[in-house]
Amino acid sequence: MAVLNKLNISRFLVTLGVVFVYSSCETTVDIDIPFENPQVTVNSSLANNTFPKVRVTYSKHILDNNWEFEPIRDAEVKLIHQGETYPLSFEESTGEYISLDHMIVEGNEYKIEVLVAGYEPVTATEIIPTIVPIKNLVYQGQVQVDSWSSRDDIQMIFDDPAGENYYEISAHYYRTYTYTDQDGNLVYYEENYPLYLEPKNPSYEKDFNTDGELLIDDKLFDGAEAKIDLFINGSYFTEDMDGEVSFTLKAVTRNYYLFHSTYGLQWWNDGDPFAQPVQVYSNISNGIGIVMGESISVKRIDQ
């Protein structure tokens, strides 16, 4: 019996020694994470009847936790149209390169060229779409959602040009009023905010919605009159609503459509560990970013 006790004690001491040795060991593994040179990033939305604006920055490494994208201030930025070159100057207040010597015109093709020391020329080309006017906006009444909320029913009508076209539809509510504060001063107050749009046709629905706008193509009405039925969340056409609702029909390019579709999906999936990664669309040569075109038509709805 004494021999067995001694044997058990010996096994216990050996086991205890092994545990002690393993618990006192620390293993440090050095992993080299490559930090490649950042890419030149160019972002610009060339809108009809506006001056060109281009933002130029460097891309960031995935482990860079600085949320600010500092602009590149010493780049050479050019807008080129039909052989004419228009240099853009850096504006410190906005962090963008701008030019007041040339205005963007619908139907024209433009090339953006950015030169940064140590990099190949960064370029992108875009054709500005023609304006598609809003033909009519029809208020079709209210739809009761439940006992305490309702939605406005709106139809937008426009003529779609022949060919492949893309659109972004949005709406805003705006009003101004005055009131007298506690000191007897007359105060002017202004409200201006986007409205959330929901299409009746499920074919126009997206898996994301950032500011309530609707991004669509013309596959269902190519070259014909388009009638887009929409809901506005809320009631904006009652007697006590003294503001106005305006709609914007933005004719956009394929680059605009693809960028906002992929960016919107990435934004919507942010923080979801099970979401499939989304590659945001880019049309930049020798860099990353987006140069896209747009032309807008705005109309106020009359009840």
Side-chain angles (χ1 to χ4, degrees), residues 139 141-142 152-154 195 232 234-241 243-247 301-303:
Y139 176 69
Q142 291 184 357
D152 288 323
D153 189 348
I154 309 293
L195 301 178
I232 298 177
S235 300
Y236 291 88
F237 300 97
T238 57
E239 292 182 358
D240 58 341
M241 298 297 287
E244 65 178 39
V245 175
S246 63
F247 277 77
I301 187 169
D302 297 319
Q303 184 178 352

Side-chain angles (χ1 to χ4, degrees), residues 214-228:
L214 181 65
L215 190 64
I216 65 175
D217 58 36
D218 66 345
K219 292 179 181 178
L220 298 182
F221 50 83
D222 184 15
E225 182 182 69
K227 294 182 178 180
I228 311 298

